[in-house]
Amino acid sequence: MATMRAVDVQGGRGPATSMHITTIPRPTPTSTQALVRVRAFGLNRMDLLQREGLYPLPPQAPSTMGVEFSGVIEELAGESERGFKKGDAVFGLAYGGAYAEYIAVSTHMLVHKPDELSWEQCAGIPETWITATQAMYMVAGYQPGQSILWHAGASSVSIAGIQLSRADGASKIFATTRQDEKCRFCEEELGVTKAFNSEKGDWSEELLKATDGKGVDVIIDFMGAGFFQQNLNAAARDCHIVNLAALGGTKMKGGEDISAFFRKRVRYEGSSLRSRDEDYQGKLRDMLVEHALPKFKDGTFKVYIEKVFDWEQIVDAHQLMESNKTKGKLICTIPW
């Protein structure tokens, strides 16, 4: 049996220090899959939850963490998508398994690596940019000229979403962060209209002032219960709020005023990406290739990378992500 090295968690769940590299069976590509030798993989906050046993995995996901990667195709199954061949440099999205030397993944979720981008940059694109695209367009139904608010503005998904918003003619772009430094990053580097430090008072009041009381048309939220009331306060008429995570908790404190739902005709919708089927994810892959990839090639869109680690330093990488001090992606590379 062919084997490979992969990141495992001692006891199946635990703190960052419980991670180690071990030897496990190498996957065999089936149906529409390719076997990819991994050069780099991106870290995502869901990895922290999965490591702690707090993230429900889709049934097709392996126990190994990691959903985005770059690498080279080693082998193809019989029904793999035409246009890919052995030796192709690719990057892509998977249901799991990227923290390893090899990954078996559907060719429907692979993209040919452009020469203009590094392995590290490509490994930081799939999960974040596809999540932002899905939330903004497929769920929120964003239209050019609308205003939009991205919470966790210095997170990789929001960094992607802010760039998409600028490129597609948003009238105003707002962001929230928990640090003044990150607010400056959003305004000076990403070009948002205004970023608000959510640790300093009621950001929704400041947003209403910045919009002359109108509020915003689209809100992409990662905070959940912690921002529920403020999101309703900040919503414009016919606003669509898309909730992707609950970093601010899942339980309300009580006393929330839900009248905005009918006064403002607000839609509040939850969404996720990892639980979607392969066809749905394939459509998002195609949107990424058609609309975003050309802008990566010409430099319009940027992949913001905070730090690159050798994958032997996976504990340090997870601990840095847990510190909430990063702006952009953390990437691990596998030398070969």
Side-chain angles (χ1 to χ4, degrees):
M1 177 186 293
T3 61
M4 66 178 182
R5 294 197 302 159
V7 176
D8 194 15
V9 181
Q10 187 71 33
R13 64 177 67 183
T17 51
S18 65
M19 292 187 298
H20 63 282
I21 295 177
T22 188
T23 299
I24 64 172
R26 183 189 301 180
T28 300
T30 60
S31 183
T32 61
Q33 290 184 327
L35 181 70
V36 177
R37 188 176 183 185
V38 177
R39 290 289 299 262
F41 59 84
L43 274 63
N44 292 282
R45 194 158 290 275
M46 74 175 79
D47 301 344
L48 306 183
L49 297 174
Q50 180 176 336
R51 190 200 71 216
E52 295 169 353
L54 301 175
Y55 193 101
L57 295 180
Q60 66 271 54
S63 59
T64 302
M65 290 177 284
V67 298
E68 59 183 351
F69 61 92
S70 62
V72 175
I73 294 177
E74 288 273 320
E75 185 182 338
L76 289 163
E79 299 175 33
S80 57
E81 187 177 348
R82 285 179 294 179
F84 292 101
K85 64 183 186 301
K86 182 177 178 179
D88 282 353
V90 295
F91 64 97
L93 184 68
Y95 289 108
Y99 284 27
E101 291 180 313
Y102 294 87
I103 185 171
V105 61
S106 169
T107 50
H108 298 314
M109 287 310 299
L110 291 179
V111 179
H112 288 286
K113 174 187 172 296
D115 292 337
E116 295 87 347
L117 299 178
S118 68
W119 296 107
E120 293 84 357
Q121 288 171 315
C122 286
I125 291 174
E127 169 65 19
T128 51
W129 283 81
I130 288 178
T131 296
T133 298
Q134 177 205 21
M136 183 173 164
Y137 294 101
M138 295 186 74
V139 183
Y142 168 84
Q143 297 295 322
Q146 290 186 314
S147 57
I148 189 167
L149 164 65
W150 292 88
H151 288 306
S155 69
S156 295
V157 174
S158 289
I159 289 172
I162 289 166
Q163 292 181 76
L164 287 167
S165 303
R166 289 188 62 191
D168 207 4
S171 58
K172 291 183 178 180
I173 307 169
F174 299 100
T176 65
T177 79
R178 294 177 176 177
Q179 299 170 22
D180 287 342
E181 179 188 355
K182 291 183 176 181
C183 284
R184 287 192 294 271
F185 169 76
C186 290
E187 292 176 356
E188 297 172 7
E189 181 68 27
L190 301 180
V192 303
T193 309
K194 180 68 177 175
F196 310 100
N197 186 334
S198 61
E199 297 294 299
K200 295 183 175 181
D202 188 341
W203 60 263
S204 65
E205 291 183 0
E206 296 301 312
L207 185 143
L208 288 172
K209 291 178 184 176
T211 58
D212 297 322
K214 178 185 176 184
V216 288
D217 300 311
V218 174
I219 298 174
I220 310 297
D221 176 49
F222 306 88
M223 305 308 295
F227 278 7
F228 180 80
Q229 186 64 66
Q230 290 171 301
N231 281 337
L232 292 180
N233 296 345
R237 182 167 291 179
D238 296 317
C239 177
H240 199 158
I241 303 171
V242 179
N243 177 253
L244 301 178
L247 300 178
T250 59
K251 296 183 179 180
M252 305 293 185
K253 297 179 180 179
E256 286 77 17
D257 179 2
I258 65 169
S259 64
F261 277 108
F262 55 85
R263 286 191 295 104
K264 299 180 179 181
R265 303 192 295 263
V266 169
R267 290 173 293 166
Y268 190 104
E269 184 171 357
S271 185
S272 65
L273 177 59
R274 198 173 185 182
S275 61
R276 303 284 189 171
D277 63 37
E278 187 178 302
D279 288 342
Y280 182 95
Q281 293 197 4
K283 292 176 183 176
L284 285 164
R285 186 277 308 264
D286 293 342
M287 290 178 67
L288 177 74
V289 170
E290 293 167 13
H291 301 294
L293 202 58
K295 289 185 171 62
F296 282 116
K297 292 180 179 180
D298 69 19
T300 302
F301 286 163
K302 293 177 61 177
V303 183
Y304 288 84
I305 296 176
E306 175 78 20
K307 190 170 182 179
V308 177
F309 294 85
D310 185 291
W311 77 316
E312 299 273 1
Q313 301 172 295
I314 188 64
V315 171
D316 295 334
H318 268 232
Q319 289 176 335
L320 179 56
M321 177 166 277
E322 289 174 327
S323 74
N324 294 320
K325 295 179 180 179
T326 58
K327 299 184 290 294
K329 293 296 297 187
L330 299 177
I331 304 295
C332 286
T333 57
I334 303 179
W336 52 276

